[in-house]
Amino acid sequence: MSDPSRPRASLRTAVVWDVLQDALDRRVKATGRDALDVLDTGGGSGNFAVPVARLGHRVTVVDPSPNALFALERRAAEAGVADRVKGVQGDAHGLFDVVERGGYDAVLCHGVLEYVDDPAEGVRTVVAALRPEGVLSLLAAGLGGAVLARALAGHFKEARQALDDPNGRWGEADPVPHRFTADQLAAFVEGAGLAVGAVHGVRVFADLVPGVLVDTEPGALDALLKLEAAAAELPAFHSVATQLHVLGETRGATEA
């Protein structure tokens, strides 16, 4: 994801960013602290971390790529938030070798679950980084979006393969190891002891609309953003979204 402030990139980020910012604002009000401690697992070059830091929060990014962490450091410096962003090398499997267990008000797990061997265990691990009152932002690849994309490209056998495959893969060349339904992601979150606060479909239409139309048609980008926002919460569109976003909340947070 690119910086949510960039208009064209916002097609891929707006829904998640709006939900996340609202969740962080609610935690600020509940805790009485202006600055939260946020963990971004697999946060890469800071696509979410830097905008979150701009809100005044302290963000720790865990990523296995030294190159991504170098880019994170540069981006944070350019944004004037280097003092609020820390990058550490690591991954979800050995998360507590590099960060504190139970030390964060919010955890972002975006684009990580697809690549862990046991997704349910992956969610339980990142949830263990939360304080008793905290929120989880979980973003992962959607099964239905991949099936639809392969079918619209004329790859009908691959679409059927993805539909039937337990991991949602369309073939051996598929670069994504796991895709999920909204029900699966919600079950992972609940299985980790959290309450599901919201489920949104992400990139319901954005990946299907020709880029040239969005870039050249007057008002098209704004209209498409509004359409994405309107469809995101509707369960009927979760099944065709490229990605799915689930907001999980600890029991303490829901009672606060």
PDB file of all heavy atoms in Angstrom, residues 186-201:
ATOM      1  N   ALA A 186     -12.599 -14.053  10.199  1.00  0.00           N
ATOM      2  CA  ALA A 186     -13.326 -13.763  11.434  1.00  0.00           C
ATOM      3  C   ALA A 186     -13.136 -14.892  12.452  1.00  0.00           C
ATOM      4  O   ALA A 186     -12.981 -14.637  13.652  1.00  0.00           O
ATOM      5  CB  ALA A 186     -14.808 -13.556  11.134  1.00  0.00           C
ATOM      6  N   ALA A 187     -13.113 -16.122  11.976  1.00  0.00           N
ATOM      7  CA  ALA A 187     -12.915 -17.267  12.867  1.00  0.00           C
ATOM      8  C   ALA A 187     -11.517 -17.242  13.485  1.00  0.00           C
ATOM      9  O   ALA A 187     -11.343 -17.577  14.664  1.00  0.00           O
ATOM     10  CB  ALA A 187     -13.136 -18.578  12.114  1.00  0.00           C
ATOM     11  N   PHE A 188     -10.500 -16.855  12.696  1.00  0.00           N
ATOM     12  CA  PHE A 188      -9.144 -16.734  13.239  1.00  0.00           C
ATOM     13  C   PHE A 188      -9.106 -15.689  14.357  1.00  0.00           C
ATOM     14  O   PHE A 188      -8.480 -15.899  15.398  1.00  0.00           O
ATOM     15  CB  PHE A 188      -8.156 -16.313  12.139  1.00  0.00           C
ATOM     16  CG  PHE A 188      -7.935 -17.342  11.066  1.00  0.00           C
ATOM     17  CD1 PHE A 188      -7.538 -16.946   9.797  1.00  0.00           C
ATOM     18  CD2 PHE A 188      -8.113 -18.697  11.315  1.00  0.00           C
ATOM     19  CE1 PHE A 188      -7.316 -17.876   8.796  1.00  0.00           C
ATOM     20  CE2 PHE A 188      -7.901 -19.636  10.308  1.00  0.00           C
ATOM     21  CZ  PHE A 188      -7.502 -19.227   9.056  1.00  0.00           C
ATOM     22  N   VAL A 189      -9.756 -14.563  14.118  1.00  0.00           N
ATOM     23  CA  VAL A 189      -9.754 -13.479  15.098  1.00  0.00           C
ATOM     24  C   VAL A 189     -10.470 -13.902  16.379  1.00  0.00           C
ATOM     25  O   VAL A 189      -9.974 -13.696  17.490  1.00  0.00           O
ATOM     26  CB  VAL A 189     -10.405 -12.221  14.491  1.00  0.00           C
ATOM     27  CG1 VAL A 189     -10.654 -11.159  15.555  1.00  0.00           C
ATOM     28  CG2 VAL A 189      -9.526 -11.663  13.378  1.00  0.00           C
ATOM     29  N   GLU A 190     -11.624 -14.524  16.226  1.00  0.00           N
ATOM     30  CA  GLU A 190     -12.364 -14.988  17.397  1.00  0.00           C
ATOM     31  C   GLU A 190     -11.632 -16.111  18.109  1.00  0.00           C
ATOM     32  O   GLU A 190     -11.643 -16.200  19.344  1.00  0.00           O
ATOM     33  CB  GLU A 190     -13.763 -15.434  16.976  1.00  0.00           C
ATOM     34  CG  GLU A 190     -14.645 -14.275  16.514  1.00  0.00           C
ATOM     35  CD  GLU A 190     -15.978 -14.733  15.963  1.00  0.00           C
ATOM     36  OE1 GLU A 190     -16.075 -15.919  15.558  1.00  0.00           O
ATOM     37  OE2 GLU A 190     -16.915 -13.906  15.910  1.00  0.00           O
ATOM     38  N   GLY A 191     -10.956 -16.968  17.328  1.00  0.00           N
ATOM     39  CA  GLY A 191     -10.188 -18.055  17.928  1.00  0.00           C
ATOM     40  C   GLY A 191      -9.008 -17.562  18.737  1.00  0.00           C
ATOM     41  O   GLY A 191      -8.514 -18.261  19.632  1.00  0.00           O
ATOM     42  N   ALA A 192      -8.555 -16.345  18.445  1.00  0.00           N
ATOM     43  CA  ALA A 192      -7.456 -15.742  19.201  1.00  0.00           C
ATOM     44  C   ALA A 192      -7.965 -14.970  20.411  1.00  0.00           C
ATOM     45  O   ALA A 192      -7.181 -14.329  21.105  1.00  0.00           O
ATOM     46  CB  ALA A 192      -6.648 -14.819  18.297  1.00  0.00           C
ATOM     47  N   GLY A 193      -9.270 -15.023  20.638  1.00  0.00           N
ATOM     48  CA  GLY A 193      -9.839 -14.403  21.830  1.00  0.00           C
ATOM     49  C   GLY A 193     -10.346 -12.991  21.657  1.00  0.00           C
ATOM     50  O   GLY A 193     -10.687 -12.335  22.638  1.00  0.00           O
ATOM     51  N   LEU A 194     -10.425 -12.512  20.418  1.00  0.00           N
ATOM     52  CA  LEU A 194     -10.905 -11.161  20.170  1.00  0.00           C
ATOM     53  C   LEU A 194     -12.350 -11.178  19.681  1.00  0.00           C
ATOM     54  O   LEU A 194     -12.841 -12.184  19.171  1.00  0.00           O
ATOM     55  CB  LEU A 194     -10.042 -10.461  19.119  1.00  0.00           C
ATOM     56  CG  LEU A 194      -8.549 -10.307  19.394  1.00  0.00           C
ATOM     57  CD1 LEU A 194      -7.925  -9.410  18.325  1.00  0.00           C
ATOM     58  CD2 LEU A 194      -8.280  -9.749  20.776  1.00  0.00           C
ATOM     59  N   ALA A 195     -12.994 -10.040  19.831  1.00  0.00           N
ATOM     60  CA  ALA A 195     -14.309  -9.842  19.237  1.00  0.00           C
ATOM     61  C   ALA A 195     -14.127  -9.179  17.876  1.00  0.00           C
ATOM     62  O   ALA A 195     -13.264  -8.312  17.717  1.00  0.00           O
ATOM     63  CB  ALA A 195     -15.170  -8.954  20.131  1.00  0.00           C
ATOM     64  N   VAL A 196     -14.914  -9.592  16.904  1.00  0.00           N
ATOM     65  CA  VAL A 196     -14.850  -8.981  15.574  1.00  0.00           C
ATOM     66  C   VAL A 196     -15.626  -7.679  15.601  1.00  0.00           C
ATOM     67  O   VAL A 196     -16.844  -7.669  15.796  1.00  0.00           O
ATOM     68  CB  VAL A 196     -15.412  -9.929  14.497  1.00  0.00           C
ATOM     69  CG1 VAL A 196     -15.474  -9.223  13.151  1.00  0.00           C
ATOM     70  CG2 VAL A 196     -14.563 -11.181  14.404  1.00  0.00           C
ATOM     71  N   GLY A 197     -14.901  -6.574  15.410  1.00  0.00           N
ATOM     72  CA  GLY A 197     -15.544  -5.273  15.440  1.00  0.00           C
ATOM     73  C   GLY A 197     -16.143  -4.877  14.103  1.00  0.00           C
ATOM     74  O   GLY A 197     -17.184  -4.222  14.050  1.00  0.00           O
ATOM     75  N   ALA A 198     -15.479  -5.259  13.019  1.00  0.00           N
ATOM     76  CA  ALA A 198     -15.965  -4.900  11.682  1.00  0.00           C
ATOM     77  C   ALA A 198     -15.262  -5.750  10.642  1.00  0.00           C
ATOM     78  O   ALA A 198     -14.126  -6.186  10.842  1.00  0.00           O
ATOM     79  CB  ALA A 198     -15.716  -3.415  11.398  1.00  0.00           C
ATOM     80  N   VAL A 199     -15.950  -5.986   9.525  1.00  0.00           N
ATOM     81  CA  VAL A 199     -15.373  -6.688   8.375  1.00  0.00           C
ATOM     82  C   VAL A 199     -15.648  -5.833   7.142  1.00  0.00           C
ATOM     83  O   VAL A 199     -16.772  -5.368   6.934  1.00  0.00           O
ATOM     84  CB  VAL A 199     -15.998  -8.082   8.180  1.00  0.00           C
ATOM     85  CG1 VAL A 199     -15.385  -8.768   6.957  1.00  0.00           C
ATOM     86  CG2 VAL A 199     -15.800  -8.946   9.427  1.00  0.00           C
ATOM     87  N   HIS A 200     -14.605  -5.610   6.346  1.00  0.00           N
ATOM     88  CA  HIS A 200     -14.756  -4.797   5.141  1.00  0.00           C
ATOM     89  C   HIS A 200     -14.126  -5.494   3.939  1.00  0.00           C
ATOM     90  O   HIS A 200     -13.073  -6.127   4.066  1.00  0.00           O
ATOM     91  CB  HIS A 200     -14.082  -3.427   5.313  1.00  0.00           C
ATOM     92  CG  HIS A 200     -14.780  -2.526   6.278  1.00  0.00           C
ATOM     93  ND1 HIS A 200     -14.595  -2.603   7.648  1.00  0.00           N
ATOM     94  CD2 HIS A 200     -15.670  -1.523   6.070  1.00  0.00           C
ATOM     95  CE1 HIS A 200     -15.347  -1.688   8.234  1.00  0.00           C
ATOM     96  NE2 HIS A 200     -16.003  -1.017   7.309  1.00  0.00           N
ATOM     97  N   GLY A 201     -14.757  -5.346   2.803  1.00  0.00           N
ATOM     98  CA  GLY A 201     -14.150  -5.758   1.546  1.00  0.00           C
ATOM     99  C   GLY A 201     -13.278  -4.627   1.025  1.00  0.00           C
ATOM    100  O   GLY A 201     -13.684  -3.467   1.074  1.00  0.00           O
TER     101      GLY A 201
END
